[in-house]
Amino acid sequence: QAEGSAETVNGSLTTHVLNTATGLPAAGLAVRLAQLQEPGPQWMELAQRWTDKDGRCLPLLAPKQAKAGTYKLRFETAAYWQGLGHASFYPFVEVVFTIADPAQKLHVPLLISPYSYTTYRGS
């Protein structure tokens, strides 16, 4: 299926964001990817994307671009909620995770509402 082909690329990092207050994808939300530089604690920004109408964005790491290490996805939730006319308890959400096997595809979804968020390792 051509529509999901960007998500099935080996060795890439993908995400999607769902607004659980409406049950709809979170469109137009800024996402940044950074990698922790060793020895830390310096973060180097690698990519910035915005979610589309389906709450997804282009892969944050291209095939074979991933390296073992610690990474951070930063989701700019305050601007997203403000755009919908809501206040947000969380001005942004940072999800820190480790890539142990750079050849493995990683999917890190985020579920958000104005007063909560959940993330998990997807497939």
Side-chain angles (χ1 to χ4, degrees):
Q1 74 192 45
E3 191 174 327
S5 61
E7 295 250 359
T8 58
V9 177
N10 286 336
S12 65
L13 170 66
T14 56
T15 187
H16 78 267
V17 185
L18 179 71
N19 176 339
T20 59
T22 62
L24 299 171
L29 193 146
V31 182
R32 290 189 174 96
L33 173 68
Q35 183 178 14
L36 184 63
Q37 301 301 293
E38 298 299 340
Q42 293 284 96
W43 291 97
M44 181 175 74
E45 189 167 306
L46 302 177
Q48 181 170 354
R49 305 274 189 271
W50 281 266
T51 56
D52 62 16
K53 62 180 177 49
D54 201 31
R56 298 175 189 275
C57 56
L58 291 172
L60 290 137
L61 288 174
K64 299 190 168 96
Q65 188 184 359
K67 295 177 174 48
T70 302
Y71 291 81
K72 170 173 67 176
L73 280 173
R74 178 180 166 119
F75 299 87
E76 300 296 340
T77 52
Y80 168 78
W81 289 114
Q82 187 175 23
L84 294 178
H86 293 285
S88 173
F89 183 68
Y90 299 102
F92 55 86
V93 172
E94 291 186 332
V95 179
V96 178
F97 56 96
T98 301
I99 294 180
D101 178 0
Q104 211 171 30
K105 178 181 143 6
L106 285 177
H107 185 63
V108 183
L110 182 69
L111 310 176
I112 59 171
S113 81
Y115 299 100
S116 69
Y117 67 88
T118 302
T119 185
Y120 57 95
R121 181 176 177 174
S123 59

